[in-house]
Amino acid sequence: MKETKYIFVTGGVCSSLGKGIVASSTAAILKSAGLKVAIMKLDPYLNVDPGTMSPFQHGEVFVLDDGAETDLDLGHYERFIDTPLSKFCSITTGKVYSEVLAEEREGKYLGGTIQIVPHITNKIQQKVELAARKMKADVMVVEIGGTVGDIEGEPFLEVLRQMKKKHKDNLISMHLTLLPYLAASKELKTKPTQISVRTLRAAGISPEFIFARSDVKIPRKILKKIAFFCDVDEDCVIPSETVSSIYEVPLRYEKFGLGETLAKKLNLGDLKFDLAEWEAGVDKIKRTKSEVVIGLAGKYNDLDDAYLSVIEAVKSAGYFHGKKAVIEWIDTEKIGNDDPEERAKLEKVAGIIVPGGFGNRGIEGKIKVAEFCRTTGKPYLGLCLGSQIMAIEFARNVLGIKKATSEEFDIDENDIEAGYINGKKYHVIHFMEDQNIHRKKGGTMRLGLYPCVIKAGTKAREIYGTDRIEERHRHRFEFNNKFREKFEENGFIISGQSPNKNLVEIVEIKDHPFMIASQFHPELISRPFRPHPLFREFMAASLK
Ligand code: GLN
């Protein structure tokens, strides 16, 4: 394609309507016709990136191959379009401002007055175009975070207005709104949608598409009404009714002819959309009735968003084996206090995952969970922190190092930030002295894709079917190599390590049905219809 096409997605009326799913589904449909599609997120908040935001407020931090710490929507994007994205695909107001202000300090603006328009908006525009170039996208889908009308979002809408002028027929915008249902009068109301579109108009934007979100079926006449009042073509009002699986959304849109309408509007030429893989996948999801219960022993209980990728990977693994995976949240603080009801859950679930995490809340409980799994043969999958927990438990209860722990739980966060290395004898997990030679980026976190070599004859080797893999990381602490021999002599297998053999990457317990953990985050590269091998085999073991 000669020129890049842009599709902007905005949201109105209220948040949480699923703009990310609209963006992802649209991109998936276009990708199915063989186009090179990428998706990016413009987040209006002032944090420079979501790396430091609490999962309580913001859900999981999604890490990309290049180590960028991004919004969880990037996870949806990658799962829907099955394409690794890059740091260029995640922009926040904070990032834009910090760059513009740094340039101002360097004198790059030659004494000029720095303003939101044009300096901030130009910077955003450059970043959008740069992302499209870097991703070599035929179509760049751009999601603007927040809700139309938010003060923070205004510069982004102005960018959309300016880019529409510049890219003309190569840019369209989609607006997602909510149709509230009034039970008393049995009506879906379109007024909030009309007002939201009016707000967009005031910003100089007339959306080409309206996606109408509703929990009930939307009658044809309502769609027509929206088309008329919001001045869009009738085939451009797309019903977005709540479905049981988000992966059904692209199929719904395509049934409504979205691909073809887009091809027309954006002059994409003659395209053939093939969603056969989606149909098969969704069909399997819908046919699956029988359940398997998987325990999740994390820190943020009942907070699906904090473990979004883990839950998606578990579900995908479940469907792969014809089971609907149900998550049982295990409260590790209660387990730490030997709460009998909570402990009973450990027996009940088919397998247990100890996911990633930071800080020492619930750590003793997690160690008890690992002990339970090791001694009873219950399948255990450890993700990042879950691998460190597995080592600590083994050190305490098999090697007899009673005080074994991780340096993370033993010293002050501030000391870690300051690069202080404590190095107590019982730190089986520690902060490496020469840690920075193992980090691509600055800072103490190991972020993004790193290679791992898998040892022959191990379970990991069997699961992966290869001896060299690359996986995404986000952690600070490492297995302490001083303990290697002692661990290995006693049945703790180090089945994966960095090519220079310095960093432990995968561990497993000898002769256990399935007790495996990784220092990396396999959930980040799992796909809805192609579960990550570790999750797939963890599920297989849990179903035995
Ligand atoms: N807190 C641990 C570390 O920094 C584990 C991090 C994680 O689970 N992502 O190494």
Side-chain angles (χ1 to χ4, degrees):
M1 206 161 290
K2 280 201 306 290
E3 283 160 306
T4 308
K5 311 285 180 175
Y6 291 93
I7 299 176
F8 276 72
V9 180
T10 59
V13 181
C14 65
S15 61
S16 303
L17 294 179
K19 285 191 299 294
I21 304 300
V22 171
S24 302
S25 301
T26 303
I29 291 172
L30 294 173
K31 197 202 162 190
S32 83
L35 295 175
K36 188 141 175 34
V37 188
I39 318 179
M40 70 187 298
K41 177 100 191 256
L42 307 180
D43 266 313
Y45 51 70
L46 289 170
N47 306 61
V48 174
D49 66 42
T52 53
M53 293 169 86
S54 161
F56 267 124
Q57 276 188 32
H58 213 73
E60 76 177 359
V61 175
F62 193 82
V63 181
L64 306 179
D65 281 353
D66 60 17
E69 296 177 279
T70 71
D71 189 89
L72 53 74
D73 267 316
L74 278 273
H76 282 310
Y77 302 166
E78 285 196 348
R79 284 187 286 272
F80 272 74
I81 60 173
D82 195 10
T83 304
L85 298 172
S86 79
K87 62 181 179 203
F88 301 103
C89 300
S90 171
I91 296 173
T92 69
T93 296
K95 191 185 273 178
V96 172
Y97 268 80
S98 57
E99 281 187 28
V100 169
L101 293 177
E103 286 171 4
E104 188 268 342
R105 290 290 87 183
E106 285 164 22
K108 284 210 176 135
Y109 294 99
L110 304 171
T113 308
I114 317 296
Q115 294 176 297
I116 294 178
V117 185
H119 301 97
I120 295 296
T121 49
N122 281 354
K123 184 61 107 190
I124 298 170
Q125 191 167 323
Q126 283 160 16
K127 283 182 171 297
V128 172
E129 289 168 351
L130 178 69
R133 274 202 306 282
K134 290 279 183 190
M135 296 301 298
K136 300 191 174 63
D138 295 325
V139 183
M140 186 80 218
V141 179
V142 187
E143 177 188 349
I144 300 183
T147 308
V148 165
D150 292 347
I151 293 176
E152 294 94 332
E154 280 176 23
F156 294 99
L157 294 182
E158 171 59 13
V159 168
L160 167 52
R161 186 193 70 78
Q162 291 176 11
M163 284 188 70
K164 174 77 188 167
K165 213 160 183 71
K166 181 169 168 190
H167 296 272
K168 299 209 168 58
D169 297 338
N170 293 320
L171 186 151
I172 54 144
S173 73
M174 301 176 156
H175 189 54
L176 170 66
T177 71
L178 175 71
L179 304 181
Y181 180 73
L182 293 184
S185 56
K186 298 198 188 67
E187 273 185 305
L188 277 169
K189 307 306 286 183
T190 66
K191 189 73 78 192
T193 298
Q194 296 176 41
I195 293 170
S196 186
V197 170
R198 204 177 295 159
T199 311
L200 268 181
R201 288 252 179 73
I205 298 154
S206 299
E208 278 81 4
F209 285 81
I210 307 254
F211 286 72
R213 182 65 204 276
S214 158
D215 284 336
V216 299
K217 186 148 175 45
I218 309 172
R220 195 107 214 152
K221 69 169 204 294
I222 294 285
L223 297 174
K224 282 187 169 213
K225 185 174 173 185
I226 295 171
F228 181 73
F229 278 101
C230 299
D231 194 27
V232 296
D233 296 337
E234 276 180 24
D235 55 357
C236 294
V237 183
I238 314 289
S240 209
E241 291 144 2
T242 305
V243 282
S244 56
S245 162
I246 51 173
Y247 301 112
E248 199 185 333
V249 177
L251 297 174
R252 289 288 187 108
Y253 291 171
E254 193 36 26
K255 211 169 122 202
F256 209 78
L258 177 61
E260 220 151 277
T261 315
L262 274 170
K264 249 191 304 176
K265 290 256 168 212
L266 280 170
N267 278 317
L268 296 171
D270 208 4
L271 296 179
K272 281 236 151 6
F273 302 96
D274 178 12
L275 294 176
E277 196 199 345
W278 290 82
E279 260 154 35
V282 170
D283 188 53
K284 190 156 190 195
I285 292 175
K286 286 188 154 174
R287 272 188 293 115
T288 306
K289 296 282 179 281
S290 83
E291 297 184 344
V292 55
V293 183
I294 298 295
L296 189 56
K299 173 172 173 179
Y300 307 103
N301 269 327
D302 294 314
L303 214 81
D304 285 30
D305 273 1
Y307 301 105
L308 187 62
S309 295
V310 176
I311 294 174
E312 285 296 316
V314 173
K315 284 204 228 157
S316 158
Y319 291 127
F320 182 89
H321 295 289
K323 290 279 176 186
K324 195 179 160 83
V326 178
I327 301 293
E328 175 82 58
W329 298 90
I330 294 171
D331 186 324
T332 47
E333 278 178 298
K334 284 191 187 158
I335 296 281
N337 297 328
D338 290 318
D339 180 289
E341 249 174 65
E342 209 61 23
R343 269 204 76 95
K345 284 186 184 171
L346 304 182
E347 311 269 353
K348 194 189 104 189
V349 298
I352 301 177
I353 295 179
V354 176
F358 292 83
N360 55 12
R361 207 174 88 201
I363 287 302
E364 292 305 317
K366 286 181 191 153
I367 293 168
K368 285 186 180 167
V369 169
E371 181 183 10
F372 173 85
C373 291
R374 185 179 54 77
T375 53
T376 61
K378 180 82 68 181
Y380 175 103
L381 177 63
L383 309 171
C384 203
L385 179 66
S387 75
Q388 302 174 352
I389 292 291
M390 198 167 126
I392 296 169
E393 189 279 324
F394 195 85
R396 286 191 191 175
N397 300 324
V398 179
L399 305 182
I401 309 170
K402 286 287 161 246
K403 287 170 82 177
T405 189
S406 162
E407 196 166 351
E408 178 176 14
F409 316 134
D410 211 27
I411 58 171
D412 211 51
E413 278 281 333
N414 300 326
D415 293 340
I416 299 167
E417 290 301 336
Y420 171 79
I421 296 154
N422 196 356
K424 292 225 182 78
K425 279 206 284 296
Y426 45 83
H427 286 160
V428 291
I429 305 295
H430 71 156
F431 189 82
M432 268 190 173
E433 260 169 87
D434 54 352
Q435 179 130 303
N436 277 332
I437 62 167
H438 302 293
R439 307 285 187 265
K440 281 187 283 207
K441 296 184 19 166
T444 54
M445 279 263 236
R446 186 155 172 255
L447 289 165
L449 212 59
Y450 284 90
C452 162
V453 177
I454 308 180
K455 197 166 160 186
T458 61
K459 235 192 197 101
R461 176 67 180 74
E462 195 185 314
I463 291 172
Y464 274 99
T466 171
D467 54 11
R468 204 182 155 105
I469 53 164
E470 285 192 306
E471 293 273 1
R472 292 181 183 176
H473 298 70
R474 181 173 187 249
H475 68 113
R476 198 169 269 130
F477 297 88
E478 305 284 355
F479 184 89
N480 187 342
N481 288 326
K482 280 188 212 129
F483 292 91
R484 269 198 197 214
E485 247 180 66
K486 212 166 171 204
F487 270 74
E488 289 189 297
E489 278 164 10
N490 288 282
F492 189 90
I493 304 168
I494 294 173
S495 44
Q497 51 185 346
S498 58
N500 67 5
K501 302 191 168 58
N502 238 326
L503 306 176
V504 171
E505 290 278 20
I506 311 175
V507 295
E508 51 193 79
I509 300 288
K510 198 173 162 211
D511 299 329
H512 188 286
F514 191 105
M515 189 153 188
I516 302 188
S518 63
Q519 188 53 74
F520 46 80
H521 289 273
E523 70 272 20
L524 299 177
I525 57 171
S526 188
R527 295 289 184 251
F529 311 129
R530 201 175 64 244
H532 187 285
L534 284 176
F535 281 87
R536 190 190 64 217
E537 294 312 312
F538 162 72
M539 187 58 80
S542 301
L543 291 170
K544 274 202 184 121

